[in-house]
């Protein structure tokens, strides 16, 4: 696995997500599990992928995250915050 470009943390309610962004094809892995397996609902997947969709970088970076605490909604929000912070760290515009 390649060295991450940037590492950030996102928090919401009791959930904490540690996010690492790497150049890649858009694969999202959470706690070693595939994105669709970790978040089975379409709403949670939409919330998580929103920062990548808005910046048109869905297929530019791979996201590797470790997550703990909270429920599904809190975890999705924490991961969204972590991804957004990572994208800002790479390019503030």
């Amino acid at each position: 696995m390649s060295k991450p470009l940037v590492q950030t943390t996102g928090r919401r309610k009791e959930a904490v997500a540690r996010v690492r962004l790497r150049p890649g094809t858009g694969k999202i892995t959470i706690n070693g599990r595939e994105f669709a397996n970790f978040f089975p609902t379409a709403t949670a997947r939409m919330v998580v992928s929103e920062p990548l969709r808005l910046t048109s970088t869905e297929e530019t970076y791979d996201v590797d995250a470790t997550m703990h605490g909270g429920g599904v909604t809190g975890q999705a929000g924490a991961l969204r915050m972590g991804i957004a912070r990572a994208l800002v760290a790479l390019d503030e515009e």
Side-chain angles (χ1 to χ4, degrees):
M1 195 170 275
S2 64
K3 184 178 176 184
L5 288 173
V6 64
Q7 295 187 69
T8 57
T9 301
R11 294 181 193 87
R12 183 171 191 281
K13 295 185 176 182
E14 293 293 318
V16 178
R18 289 182 179 82
V19 178
R20 288 164 291 287
L21 231 56
R22 295 181 170 85
T25 60
K27 183 177 179 182
I28 300 175
T29 308
I30 306 160
N31 290 348
R33 294 168 51 190
E34 288 186 28
F35 182 50
N37 291 338
F38 196 87
F39 290 113
T41 63
T43 305
R45 289 193 302 267
M46 182 187 69
V47 166
V48 170
S49 62
E50 188 174 29
L52 295 169
R53 208 173 48 251
L54 290 175
T55 57
S56 300
T57 55
E58 291 175 289
E59 297 178 0
T60 306
Y61 300 111
D62 285 346
V63 177
D64 181 34
T66 55
M67 181 89 64
H68 70 274
V72 175
T73 305
Q75 288 183 345
L79 186 53
R80 175 174 67 173
M81 175 63 73
I83 292 171
R85 285 181 174 171
L87 290 171
V88 168
L90 289 174
D91 183 9
E92 291 187 14
E93 291 188 35

